[in-house]
Amino acid sequence: PIEIKTVDDLTGPGAPPGTVPTDVEQATGLERLEILGKMEGVDIFDMRPLDASRLGTMESPVLVRSAGDEQYAGCTGVPADSHNVIWLGMSKERPIERCPECGSVYKMEYVGPADDGHHHHHHGPEEPKTFADFVKPEYRY
């Protein structure tokens, strides 16, 4: 089996001089990880369809596995294909999303590496403000 231990393992060896490189020889990064995984019979990105046999609820959401800080999922309703695809974005900070069309609830389940202790700064867009952000404290309940 091929073992990936460091980032350096995600750089291909290249092709011998005078030859055209294969994908395995020239691929780098995530593309190389995916190719090496397929060679070992592992679907690195788990591209299986999500469970569309039931409507996700807050108590029992449809789980969406993610090895990264963010994940997108496409909802097509219950049963599957009962409405056009609506893309939902989830993150570690905001793991739960509800489809505005059918109400199905999705939850990102982080399956990536444990926190390495480094402080990561989120560089994505700021969470949009809503009317609730401007309500005076004395009017909140």
Side-chain angles (χ1 to χ4, degrees), residues 63-119:
L63 295 179
V64 181
R65 294 165 51 93
S66 176
D69 292 342
E70 298 175 336
Q71 185 66 45
Y72 285 89
C75 180
T76 62
V78 179
D81 298 323
S82 58
H83 66 66
N84 288 334
V85 66
I86 293 180
W87 291 100
L88 306 169
M90 293 158 279
S91 67
K92 280 182 164 181
E93 291 77 29
R94 187 176 170 162
I96 296 174
E97 281 294 329
R98 183 185 296 268
C99 175
E101 182 74 22
C102 67
S104 189
V105 177
Y106 296 84
K107 181 177 182 182
M108 185 180 110
E109 177 185 26
Y110 179 72
V111 295
D115 187 6
D116 59 7
H118 294 100
H119 296 287

Side-chain angles (χ1 to χ4, degrees), residues 6-131:
T6 70
V7 173
D8 293 335
D9 295 330
L10 294 178
T11 301
T19 66
V20 175
T22 64
D23 286 345
V24 175
E25 291 171 332
Q26 74 174 355
T28 61
L30 291 175
E31 181 184 19
R32 182 169 177 78
L33 182 63
E34 183 178 23
I35 290 170
L36 295 176
K38 285 181 179 178
M39 290 170 62
E40 297 289 326
V42 178
D43 182 4
I44 297 294
F45 294 112
D46 191 6
M47 296 302 288
R48 294 172 297 172
L50 296 174
D51 179 11
S53 67
R54 65 183 182 86
L55 195 70
T57 64
M58 289 299 286
E59 295 75 29
S60 180
V62 174
L63 295 179
V64 181
R65 294 165 51 93
S66 176
D69 292 342
E70 298 175 336
Q71 185 66 45
Y72 285 89
C75 180
T76 62
V78 179
D81 298 323
S82 58
H83 66 66
N84 288 334
V85 66
I86 293 180
W87 291 100
L88 306 169
M90 293 158 279
S91 67
K92 280 182 164 181
E93 291 77 29
R94 187 176 170 162
I96 296 174
E97 281 294 329
R98 183 185 296 268
C99 175
E101 182 74 22
C102 67
S104 189
V105 177
Y106 296 84
K107 181 177 182 182
M108 185 180 110
E109 177 185 26
Y110 179 72
V111 295
D115 187 6
D116 59 7
H118 294 100
H119 296 287
H120 299 282
H121 298 286
H122 181 66
H123 296 290
E126 274 188 45
E127 187 67 31
K129 293 202 178 291
T130 67
F131 183 71

